[in-house]
């Protein structure tokens, strides 16, 4: 239900992995915006999600993991011990927040519903835009924000995490 009302705001405000990725800021010099990722959800992310659900189901059938808090802690720790190093490597190869853009199961699911959410980053002064592209260049998710500003449309991209970086870096306060 969260993505229906708030979009992917969890990713920028509450995701502990995302916070680690942003604080490390280990990125390559690779330009994220050479290709527009609009509505091009990665097949790898869906496969990854299916594998996670399948493994969780198989483990759940064979063992009641909720009966042991140590197993829950182990699973949480193991997951993050895998995600964080993999994300650092992906970020070096593919740019900022590569894990979030390509593999995150939450963003994969919520990205389907987030375009319909009530809250979005919205251009407020499209005519003031000088097309400096600071909004697009600084978007951690590789979204062509300037395109939305020029069209005077709310950012309904399924990968928008509502971090408001575009709002912060805009020298003309267009959003």
């Amino acid at each position: 239900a969260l993505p229906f009302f708030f979009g992917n705001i969890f990713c920028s405000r509450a995701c502990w992995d995302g916070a680690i990725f942003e604080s490390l800021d280990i990125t390559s010099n690779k330009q994220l915006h050479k290709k527009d990722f609009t509505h091009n959800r990665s097949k790898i992310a869906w496969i990854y999600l299916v594998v996670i659900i399948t493994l969780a189901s198989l483990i759940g059938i064979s063992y009641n993991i909720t009966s042991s808090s140590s197993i829950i802690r182990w699973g949480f720790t193991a997951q993050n011990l895998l995600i964080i190093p993999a994300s650092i490597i992906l970020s070096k190869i593919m740019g900022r927040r590569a894990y979030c853009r390509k593999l995150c199961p939450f963003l994969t699911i919520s990205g389907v519903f987030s375009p319909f959410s009530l809250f979005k980053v919205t251009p407020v002064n499209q005519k003031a835009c000088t097309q400096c592209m600071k909004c697009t260049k600084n978007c951690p998710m590789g979204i062509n924000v300037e395109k939305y500003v020029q069209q005077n449309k709310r950012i309904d991209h399924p990968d928008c995490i509502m971090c408001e970086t575009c709002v912060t870096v805009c020298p003309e306060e267009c959003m």
Side-chain angles (χ1 to χ4, degrees), residues 14-96:
C15 178
W16 52 88
D17 291 327
I20 291 170
F21 306 151
E22 287 297 312
S23 65
L24 291 175
D25 196 24
I26 299 174
T27 57
S28 68
N29 294 327
K30 183 172 253 189
Q31 179 60 263
L32 294 179
H33 308 284
K34 290 186 178 180
K35 191 165 134 185
D36 189 8
F37 295 104
T38 305
H39 307 294
N40 188 15
R41 194 80 234 141
S42 174
K43 290 178 186 175
I44 296 170
W46 286 102
I47 292 168
Y48 178 62
L49 181 62
V50 168
V51 168
I52 289 172
I53 292 170
T54 303
L55 287 174
S57 299
L58 292 173
I59 291 169
I61 289 168
S62 62
Y63 185 77
N64 182 5
I65 62 168
T66 59
S67 66
S68 173
S69 62
S70 65
I71 290 178
I72 293 171
R73 280 192 303 271
W74 179 87
F76 176 78
T77 303
Q79 172 203 7
N80 284 291
L81 287 175
L82 293 172
I83 288 174
I84 294 169
S87 298
I88 291 170
I89 293 166
L90 279 173
S91 292
K92 260 322 223 185
I93 297 167
M94 301 171 70
R96 193 170 170 192

Side-chain angles (χ1 to χ4, degrees), residues 31 72 132 148 152 155 160 168:
Q31 179 60 263
I72 293 171
C132 68
Y148 287 94
N152 203 26
I155 300 173
C160 179
T168 304

